[in-house]
Amino acid sequence: MFKWVNPKTKTEAELSIPEHVAIIMDGNGRWAKKRGLPRIMGHREGMKSVREAVHTAQELGISSLTLYAFSTENWTRPEEEVNFLMKLPKQFLETDLKELDEQNVRVLVAGDVSKLPRGTRDAVDEARTRTATNTGLDLVFALNYGGRDELVQAMRHIASDVAAGKIQPDDIDDAMIGQRLMTNMQDVDLIIRTSGEQRLSNFLLWQGAYAELHFTDVLWPEFKRDHFVEAIEAYNARTRRFGGV
């Protein structure tokens, strides 16, 4: 349990903490546009919110934090913006990996990293290898990730094993599919999306089947600790029935 005083209502709340939180980090471009800046400046500013979200997740005792960093659809953005976005994971890990490792954070990646630039892949591989035995927060970066693509890849692997006689069709169940996903992660308890948009945008379609959804108008570069905890407070107000009564 986590005790928190809501800055708006000035009331104290004792919060139950979800194990796995995922965030759709939206609104960087709009943040920049409001200030007459290039879109890439919004992405740069958004990295500060990434750091704060990680620190907040550690403070709250969240087990897993998954961040939607680059989707399979983001390749259609302007080339300059895509090139900049491809540099951000490398820059972040170069500056923050030592601290993350010292704080016992395990860095994981969900997505098809084979299509990322070599420098980005190398940074990701180093982070995963260096933190592989850490037992604290699981920090998952969704890079070149799409929920539908993830399911397609899983189905191909299962179909291949069926064709090879390694498994029978009747062997296929939820657990098997989950094990074949890009990252064999626990189900998501809470999905947060910033900037006011209210959709999942192809994010964690399998793992988020029973996730609670929290939408906020706050743009990602402005998303701070109190906004994160407010989302946890909203999560605590829900009754999770998982299809029951």
Side-chain angles (χ1 to χ4, degrees):
M1 301 297 287
F2 176 79
K3 289 186 177 181
W4 178 63
V5 177
N6 188 310
K8 295 179 181 178
T9 64
K10 307 300 181 184
T11 57
E12 184 176 273
E14 194 171 62
L15 303 179
S16 177
I17 304 302
E19 291 190 16
H20 186 181
V21 177
I23 304 179
I24 302 173
M25 306 179 293
D26 197 10
N28 291 336
R30 274 164 281 180
W31 180 91
K33 184 177 180 180
K34 283 172 59 177
R35 290 160 176 77
L37 300 171
R39 287 176 57 85
I40 61 174
M41 297 306 296
H43 297 304
R44 186 185 299 278
E45 187 69 19
M47 295 304 295
K48 297 177 183 178
S49 293
V50 169
R51 294 184 178 95
E52 184 151 353
V54 172
H55 292 154
T56 302
Q58 292 174 287
E59 175 192 357
L60 296 176
I62 292 169
S63 298
S64 300
L65 176 66
T66 300
L67 302 176
Y68 206 5
F70 191 89
S71 76
T72 50
E73 291 76 32
N74 285 158
W75 295 106
T76 61
R77 294 188 176 189
E79 184 177 359
E80 179 186 12
E81 184 176 355
V82 169
N83 291 338
F84 185 84
L85 287 169
M86 286 294 100
K87 295 175 183 177
L88 284 181
K90 183 174 184 290
Q91 292 174 0
F92 176 80
L93 291 171
E94 285 177 347
T95 57
D96 291 57
L97 181 57
K98 183 176 184 294
E99 179 181 353
L100 292 172
D101 189 30
E102 290 173 348
Q103 294 177 349
N104 201 27
V105 173
R106 183 169 66 151
V107 178
L108 300 168
V109 176
D112 184 0
V113 297
S114 67
K115 297 180 180 179
L116 302 179
R118 179 60 181 269
T120 305
R121 294 201 310 270
D122 289 346
V124 165
D125 288 343
E126 180 186 356
R128 288 191 292 195
T129 300
R130 184 167 170 177
T131 65
T133 59
N134 289 348
T135 57
L137 173 71
D138 276 349
L139 176 57
V140 185
F141 290 103
L143 282 169
N144 194 28
Y145 172 86
R148 288 183 174 180
D149 181 57
E150 179 177 39
L151 290 170
V152 167
Q153 299 305 323
M155 295 307 104
R156 286 176 177 169
H157 292 155
I158 292 174
S160 178
D161 283 350
V162 170
K166 296 179 180 179
I167 60 174
Q168 298 300 314
D170 288 345
D171 295 331
I172 302 170
D173 57 14
D174 285 11
M176 179 180 290
I177 294 172
Q179 290 166 2
R180 304 299 180 98
L181 298 179
M182 293 173 176
T183 297
N184 185 15
M185 62 176 69
Q186 66 192 103
D187 284 350
V188 182
D189 298 303
L190 173 64
I191 295 177
I192 302 169
R193 180 166 189 155
T194 59
S195 88
E197 303 292 352
Q198 298 186 19
R199 54 182 177 269
L200 289 179
S201 295
N202 200 18
F203 185 47
L204 298 178
L205 302 180
W206 179 272
Q207 301 91 335
Y210 281 100
E212 298 297 326
L213 307 179
H214 178 79
F215 301 110
T216 174
D217 290 335
V218 176
L219 301 176
W220 177 246
E222 299 169 342
F223 188 83
K224 305 304 178 186
R225 175 186 180 276
D226 282 348
H227 300 120
F228 199 146
V229 184
E230 282 177 4
I232 303 297
E233 187 179 39
Y235 168 85
N236 273 251
R238 315 280 179 84
T239 299
R240 306 186 74 199
R241 298 185 180 87
F242 298 97
V245 178

